[in-house]
Amino acid sequence: MSFEWVWTDNNLRFLAEAFLINFEIALIAMVLALAVGLPLALMSLSTIAPVRLAAKLWVDVFRNLPLILMILFLALQMPESLKSGWQDNAPGFLPDALRSQFILAGITGLVLYNSAVLAEVFRAGILSLAKGQQEAAAALGMTYGQQMRLVVLPQGLRRMVPATVSQLITLNKDTTLVSIIAIQEVVRSGRILSGTAGNPFSGGGDVQAPILSVMIVIGLMFVAVNLTLSRLSRRLEERGAERTATTPAAPAVAETAPA
């Protein structure tokens, strides 16, 4: 298995630029999934039955559908006016892949699936708090919104950090699925590189790029980014623990009178 292609021509740069597309898609989908997932978690805990049922329906449907199926369905069924409107009016500074008419389907599928999973993560984090926390806030005269905003969520969000980052790592890996709707991301670029390297008719050099070695390099790119996210998650968790830790008081020493 040869890796000579890595430092030949601009092959590694070609893959790195394609990997940046995956990271940009993941970043957009992460922000939107978090913005949707937290309200869904709060809705699922609501005392209003229709609101609670609507949130649970969203979670149960989108969490259990295969992500690749949702992306394909959206790519085929999304209105042409919406797809062409994005392609024609997308900001010019975006890379070509993010101005594709199918990018909305890919990002929407990622957001629908991950918002449902994150909603369950947030709900579990909120329910893990002792009920006395909210009861004490209610005894102080806080409204339900104030209880959640000032007491419950600040504590619950710290507990949710490891599970949330784990899901965001999964989201980053899932961005490779958008290659099935002709978006030029890193896996699709890897297949192109493997097919054109060493082929003079397609502009390649004399060095071959076996598909297995190309995919190994792509895998190492994901490992590097995801390990960084894991380390960041661990650091945030440690800082949260340090912030809430209390130093135990020294035991009192009783004075005894001399005999």
Side-chain angles (χ1 to χ4, degrees):
M1 186 165 48
S2 173
F3 288 92
E4 187 179 352
W5 60 271
V6 174
W7 53 85
T8 303
D9 298 327
N10 292 318
N11 292 334
L12 185 59
R13 179 180 176 182
F14 176 69
L15 280 186
E17 290 176 349
F19 183 77
L20 184 60
I21 299 297
N22 287 75
F23 188 75
E24 291 170 346
I25 293 173
L27 187 61
I28 295 169
M30 283 176 189
V31 172
L32 295 176
L34 288 168
V36 175
L38 183 56
L40 279 173
L42 297 176
M43 289 170 62
S44 66
L45 296 172
S46 173
T47 56
I48 304 173
V51 173
R52 186 173 63 253
L53 291 175
K56 289 187 177 296
L57 181 63
W58 177 295
V59 170
D60 289 340
V61 170
F62 293 123
R63 189 180 58 167
N64 293 299
L65 280 174
L67 178 54
I68 193 170
L69 177 63
M70 286 195 285
I71 292 174
L72 279 172
F73 178 83
L74 290 168
L76 295 173
Q77 295 300 318
M78 189 172 284
E80 289 296 330
S81 58
L82 186 60
K83 292 188 288 188
S84 59
W86 170 256
Q87 189 173 28
D88 296 338
N89 301 298
F93 62 83
L94 292 177
D96 291 341
L98 294 183
R99 287 187 279 121
S100 166
Q101 63 174 336
F102 295 115
I103 191 63
L104 293 181
I107 291 177
T108 303
L110 289 168
V111 171
L112 290 176
Y113 176 78
N114 287 279
S115 65
V117 176
L118 288 172
E120 283 296 280
V121 171
F122 294 152
R123 187 180 70 87
I126 293 170
L127 291 177
S128 68
L129 293 177
K131 292 186 65 176
Q133 297 282 335
Q134 194 166 353
E135 292 172 354
L140 293 174
M142 292 185 181
T143 64
Y144 179 78
Q146 291 174 327
Q147 295 168 27
M148 299 301 294
R149 180 166 51 90
L150 300 175
V151 178
V152 176
L153 288 180
Q155 297 180 74
L157 287 174
R158 284 197 292 269
R159 298 189 179 193
M160 302 172 205
V161 167
T164 301
V165 174
S166 176
Q167 184 57 34
L168 296 182
I169 289 172
T170 301
L171 188 158
N172 188 37
K173 294 184 292 184
D174 286 344
T175 56
T176 57
L177 295 177
V178 301
S179 63
I180 63 171
I181 53 176
I183 294 176
Q184 189 74 21
E185 47 74 64
V186 68
V187 172
R188 190 177 182 89
S189 297
R191 291 199 297 265
I192 293 173
L193 173 62
S194 179
T196 57
N199 184 353
F201 297 102
S202 58
D206 297 330
V207 177
Q208 299 290 334
I211 187 65
L212 182 57
S213 65
V214 172
M215 292 303 165
I216 287 175
V217 172
I218 292 173
L220 291 175
M221 291 179 177
F222 278 100
V223 168
V225 171
N226 292 338
L227 275 179
T228 303
L229 288 173
S230 298
R231 292 294 180 90
L232 177 61
S233 167
R234 192 171 305 167
R235 181 58 186 156
L236 290 174
E237 190 177 1
E238 290 172 355
R239 287 185 63 183
E242 291 170 1
R243 190 181 298 115
T244 56
T246 57
T247 305
V253 178
E255 295 184 1
T256 57

